[in-house]
Amino acid sequence: MANNYLLARASLAGIALAAAPLAYSGPGAIRAIVVGLFLLTGPGGAFILFIGVERMQTALGNRLAPLLLSLTMALSLAIAALSATIMLYVHWWNPSFAAAALAFLSLGLLALGIRKPGPRRTYSAE
Amino acid sequence: MSLTGSVDDSSPVTLVQRDGVPRRARDRVPRSRCIALALIALVAVVLGVNALSEVDARNIGEFGLIGALPTGYFVAVGLSLVGFVGSLALKRDVPALLGLQVLVLIVILHGADPIVHGLPRLEASYRHLGIADYIAQSGQLDPTIDAYFSWPGFFALLAMFSEASGLHDLTAIATWAPLGVNVLLMLPLLALASRLTSQWRQAWAAIWVFYLASWVGQDYLSPQSYAFILMIVLVASLMTAFVGWARPVARNKFTSRWRSWVAFLDPTIPRFPGGTGLSKSAGASLTVACAVLVVAITASHQLTPFAVFTVGVALLAIGRISIRFLVPFAGILAFVWLVVVAEPYWSGHINQLLGSIGAVNSTVSKAFISRISGSEAHVLVVAARLVESGLIIVLAVIGMVVAHKRRTPWLTATAGAFAPISLFLLQPYGGELFLRLYMFALPFAACLVVVAFMPKSTRQSLGWVRATALVVLGGLLATTTLITRYGNDRMENFTTDEISVIDELYDKAPEGSIVIEALHNTPWRFQQYAAYKYITLLPAQAQPVASRLTCDTVNKIAGHAGAYLVVTKSQQDAADALGVGPAGSIPDFLSDCSKDPKWSAVYQNGDGVLFHIEGENLGK
């Protein structure tokens, strides 16, 4: 199980690292795929891993994969949409910067998530 | 990690497996059977995609796609149904196999538009591309253009993706959106169904029924499909992380009796105030995550926040979610957004907004009666939609009764399915409210529909009778959905020739020109969204006379500056199907007006014509 989360962290970090420069320029199809994949999974995935899904799994029951994956996708889309909307309302439209900033924010959350203490054992089962 | 979570799944038998001890031998699923079922799915998808790619769109008749489908397609649907039910009949859940079967159904049933036509479906898709393009190019919102700019979240997301990815033409995304949206919906639906049901079989069967009965076609590139995905995730998250009553219900007699009544109706609902054992920080983080979803939904679509609010109130009332802050927050935010942010929209439509509050008769009339009109084929399609929806309601009610007798969960799904109906009190939503209510209700109703087809517990086998009944139900729903979803195919899809006419329009008409469509069903505005004055002569609604369809009307609109008029095959198909004006009114209009010396056809192909109407000064 721990390996799964390590793999998820590494994958998200890889996508975020690639998306930051590609948000400014890069080869057509690869740029679209990486940025699209990042906006679909990056910010939400980083948030979910930051708050500690291992502990949520213990507290909320073990069969949470569909919800966590859904939440990753929905949160990513929501955060990206809200970032873009805020830029429009403050009249500062810079999508490449926003995508790169979200990538670095995601990397930060992923790094902070690693440094947080491991699973506590005080949570009651569902 | 398994992909469902339900009451029976937490039984000791399953827990033993989770701890690493092998399942009992009788619960093992033979690998050969899994491989055979996976092969059935693969054969189904190859056959189905091949059959769809063979369809000649010119053969699509007035009953829509179903008449043009080759036999191989129906074999593929049959194989898909058998494959899913076979996977459901296994002794334990094999999520990868069940997921594969559902994915195959999605491709076969909901991937028809992109595979057959290769272009975005519905004229609204093209408008949505234009709004995203406008935002991407200008970085501005202009709420005076139309209501979309008052709820810009989804379009801002598209624009951001377009600019940051360098993919400035999003047509391919719009084309494949029906397939993509349904695939993205699968896990959220599974997460929700797992919280609404007591068996893994019921949860998977509910998703299967959702896709089989989802005829509304709101899965195109649109704010409502985006907000719908977020809404399903939000409700599933709330029901997972914040379980139970929001307040201690034993405080007074009324709440105490209410709790007893709820417990009598559905004993599976927790009796005591909530608490999942989450730490304060984890709970707070999840609350923030849910609040972010609420804000994104509110910023993106007019109706969905109100659906979230009504479903949230219903779940609070039956003690299914314990979080107190989020539901009022959703309601207040939706109202504040409407009043403050969307002020430019409502200030121009105040009578339309307030006049329809409580006018249930008018709303029902616009949602049902006014839609049952037009050609015989169109009336049949609308009738089939009503029958299919009625069938789902009847099966859901039967499921409620059966679940109550079996003492398995039903009240939460019922509350979720019926709560959005209260939106009928608000307004007709352009006559589309019934479609939207069906869409909001279906994920919940599907969980009830399948109850009667399930064994009493997971440990019982599905059995031949239930399995056969499920295949028959699946076949009935799939066939009906081919009519209800694709029945209007001729007017909802466009040809490359029609797009060529619009490309010529943008090529020839200078910015600022008046551009006219004969009937509101044109694949335009995907670029230059605000650079032209777009005018529609006839709405896409039934009306016995087409009073505005005269040469004089167009000449007056053209005025001194001149104008361009677009008439396409899909406009004529929509006029014929919906009964807009007398039969043949558009060809007659064209025949008469093309003799006018001020009118000249500047481009024409088999599916459309572009006229230039000279201004009065130039004509003299």
Side-chain angles (χ1 to χ4, degrees):
Chain A
M1 186 69 75
N3 284 342
N4 286 345
Y5 292 117
L6 195 63
L7 188 65
R9 272 179 213 280
S11 306
L12 285 177
I15 293 169
L17 267 175
L22 285 173
Y24 284 94
S25 70
I30 293 175
R31 185 181 172 194
I33 290 169
V34 172
V35 172
L37 198 58
F38 169 71
L39 293 179
L40 191 65
T41 59
F47 183 84
I48 294 292
L49 289 168
F50 171 71
I51 63 177
V53 279
E54 300 93 330
R55 278 167 282 165
M56 283 172 61
Q57 290 273 34
T58 313
L60 300 176
N62 286 324
R63 300 194 151 197
L64 279 180
L67 181 66
L68 293 176
L69 292 171
S70 306
L71 204 50
T72 293
M73 172 192 68
L75 261 182
S76 298
L77 292 174
I79 291 168
L82 290 177
S83 309
T85 307
I86 290 167
M87 283 194 292
L88 289 173
Y89 280 112
V90 300
H91 301 288
W92 188 77
W93 180 243
N94 200 333
S96 295
F97 176 84
L102 283 177
F104 286 117
L105 188 69
S106 303
L107 284 169
L109 284 177
L110 288 168
L112 284 172
I114 291 173
R115 292 184 61 183
K116 285 175 87 174
R120 292 180 225 161
R121 306 207 177 270
T122 52
Y123 304 100
S124 62
E126 188 177 8
Chain B
M1 194 185 307
S2 183
L3 281 172
T4 57
S6 48
V7 172
D8 276 7
D9 290 338
S10 61
S11 63
V13 173
T14 322
L15 286 173
V16 166
Q17 192 272 341
R18 280 185 204 145
D19 291 338
V21 179
R23 290 171 189 272
R24 286 192 299 214
R26 70 178 181 86
D27 284 344
R28 284 195 191 131
V29 175
R31 183 171 289 184
S32 57
R33 198 172 297 175
C34 288
I35 292 171
L37 288 165
L39 280 176
I40 288 176
L42 292 177
V43 171
V45 77
V46 170
L47 260 180
V49 170
N50 186 51
L52 286 172
S53 57
E54 280 177 3
V55 170
D56 182 353
R58 298 274 165 192
N59 293 335
I60 293 174
E62 55 181 352
F63 288 102
L65 183 65
I66 194 165
L69 290 167
T71 314
Y73 181 82
F74 297 97
V75 175
V77 171
L79 281 174
S80 164
L81 300 177
V82 169
F84 177 82
V85 175
S87 306
L88 205 64
L90 296 175
K91 283 181 180 171
R92 67 172 178 88
D93 57 330
V94 184
L97 183 61
L98 287 158
L100 175 70
Q101 303 287 359
V102 175
L103 275 176
V104 167
L105 178 71
I106 292 172
V107 172
I108 295 175
L109 203 54
H110 297 280
D113 279 323
I115 297 171
V116 172
H117 299 282
L119 284 169
R121 181 179 143 265
L122 292 175
E123 57 84 24
S125 294
Y126 295 85
R127 272 187 285 137
H128 295 171
L129 287 174
I131 298 162
D133 177 65
Y134 175 90
I135 292 173
Q137 300 291 324
S138 68
Q140 301 290 326
L141 294 172
D142 185 352
T144 59
I145 297 175
D146 54 39
Y148 290 119
F149 290 89
S150 295
W151 284 271
F154 171 71
F155 300 109
L157 172 66
L158 277 186
M160 179 175 164
F161 168 69
S162 170
E163 287 295 289
S165 68
L167 195 65
H168 298 298
D169 182 0
L170 299 178
T171 307
I173 305 270
T175 301
W176 289 93
L179 192 56
V181 166
N182 281 300
V183 170
L184 288 182
L185 254 176
M186 196 176 104
L187 283 176
L189 286 171
L190 181 60
L192 180 69
S194 300
R195 297 292 143 188
L196 293 171
T197 58
S198 62
Q199 302 179 24
W200 62 266
R201 283 198 186 99
Q202 191 185 349
W204 280 102
I207 301 166
W208 183 68
V209 164
F210 173 88
Y211 287 117
L212 282 168
S214 178
W215 57 260
V216 290
Q218 295 295 312
D219 46 14
Y220 60 102
L221 192 72
S222 62
Q224 60 265 34
S225 59
Y226 165 78
F228 183 60
I229 294 175
L230 264 53
M231 176 185 165
I232 298 297
V233 176
L234 174 67
V235 176
S237 303
L238 291 176
M239 288 177 53
T240 306
F242 305 100
V243 184
W245 293 89
R247 291 177 183 280
V249 283
R251 272 188 186 168
N252 64 52
K253 274 186 182 176
F254 174 75
T255 53
S256 184
R257 277 184 193 168
W258 176 252
R259 186 192 66 178
S260 303
W261 179 239
V262 168
F264 165 73
L265 288 172
D266 188 345
T268 62
I269 289 182
R271 286 179 172 235
F272 302 102
T276 54
L278 280 173
S279 68
K280 272 190 179 177
S281 63
S285 303
L286 277 174
T287 306
V288 169
C290 291
V292 167
L293 295 182
V294 168
V295 178
I297 291 169
T298 307
S300 300
H301 192 232
Q302 302 97 313
L303 190 63
T304 312
F306 293 100
V308 168
F309 177 69
T310 55
V311 171
V313 168
L315 297 183
L316 270 177
I318 60 166
R320 196 59 184 82
I321 56 173
S322 61
I323 186 166
R324 286 176 234 167
F325 136 83
L326 207 74
V327 175
F329 172 69
I332 291 167
L333 187 67
F335 182 73
V336 168
W337 191 281
L338 180 67
V339 171
V340 179
V341 183
E343 188 271 340
Y345 166 72
W346 68 257
S347 60
H349 301 80
I350 191 74
N351 289 336
Q352 190 185 332
L353 277 170
L354 297 181
S356 52
I357 290 177
V360 178
N361 283 345
S362 159
T363 304
V364 170
S365 168
K366 284 180 180 169
F368 298 104
I369 299 162
S370 66
R371 286 181 170 258
I372 308 176
S373 57
S375 68
E376 278 183 24
H378 182 254
V379 169
L380 191 82
V381 170
V382 177
R385 288 178 173 181
L386 293 175
V387 169
E388 186 171 3
S389 310
L391 177 67
I392 292 296
I393 293 170
V394 168
L395 289 173
V397 171
I398 292 171
M400 286 159 57
V401 175
V402 173
H404 177 60
K405 281 188 177 174
R406 290 182 183 173
R407 299 173 74 82
T408 56
W410 66 274
L411 191 58
T412 314
T414 305
F418 288 96
I421 290 176
S422 56
L423 296 175
F424 251 114
L425 294 172
L426 288 176
Q427 64 150 308
Y429 205 71
E432 285 194 1
L433 192 61
F434 173 66
L435 297 182
R436 306 301 170 91
L437 293 186
Y438 183 80
M439 181 174 84
F440 291 135
L442 192 55
F444 298 93
C447 294
L448 298 168
V449 165
V450 296
V451 171
F453 297 87
M454 295 293 116
K456 283 183 182 171
S457 89
T458 301
R459 286 171 205 162
Q460 281 182 287
S461 68
L462 190 64
W464 278 105
V465 175
R466 289 192 193 92
T468 308
L470 272 174
V471 172
V472 170
L473 174 72
L476 184 66
L477 288 175
T479 312
T480 316
T481 297
L482 283 173
I483 298 169
T484 50
R485 181 181 166 124
Y486 297 109
N488 294 331
D489 193 284
R490 282 212 306 200
M491 66 174 177
E492 289 181 348
N493 278 293
F494 306 98
T495 65
T496 48
D497 275 355
E498 287 176 283
I499 303 298
S500 298
V501 174
I502 306 303
D503 286 338
E504 284 295 322
L505 169 72
Y506 288 126
D507 190 41
K508 293 204 161 48
E511 285 191 14
S513 300
I514 297 170
V515 292
I516 307 166
E517 60 180 343
L519 188 132
H520 183 54
N521 192 36
T522 310
W524 65 358
R525 301 189 80 168
F526 51 84
Q527 54 175 293
Q528 309 285 4
Y529 192 80
Y532 295 92
K533 188 176 181 188
Y534 293 91
I535 290 178
T536 298
L537 294 180
L538 296 172
Q541 287 169 359
Q543 47 185 282
V545 288
S547 56
R548 292 196 71 205
L549 217 52
T550 64
C551 311
D552 278 350
T553 308
V554 177
N555 288 336
K556 276 181 191 166
I557 293 169
H560 296 292
Y564 290 83
L565 171 75
V566 176
V567 182
T568 61
K569 172 186 161 294
S570 300
Q571 290 179 15
Q572 297 190 39
D573 287 338
D576 294 342
L578 300 172
V580 186
S585 53
I586 290 183
D588 292 347
F589 160 70
L590 285 184
S591 171
D592 289 348
C593 298
S594 58
K595 294 170 193 160
D596 190 318
K598 286 191 286 185
W599 287 52
S600 56
V602 292
Y603 180 78
Q604 188 163 12
N605 62 34
D607 287 342
V609 56
L610 172 65
F611 283 101
H612 177 238
I613 298 105
E614 285 185 16
E616 283 176 7
N617 289 343
L618 295 171
K620 285 176 183 172

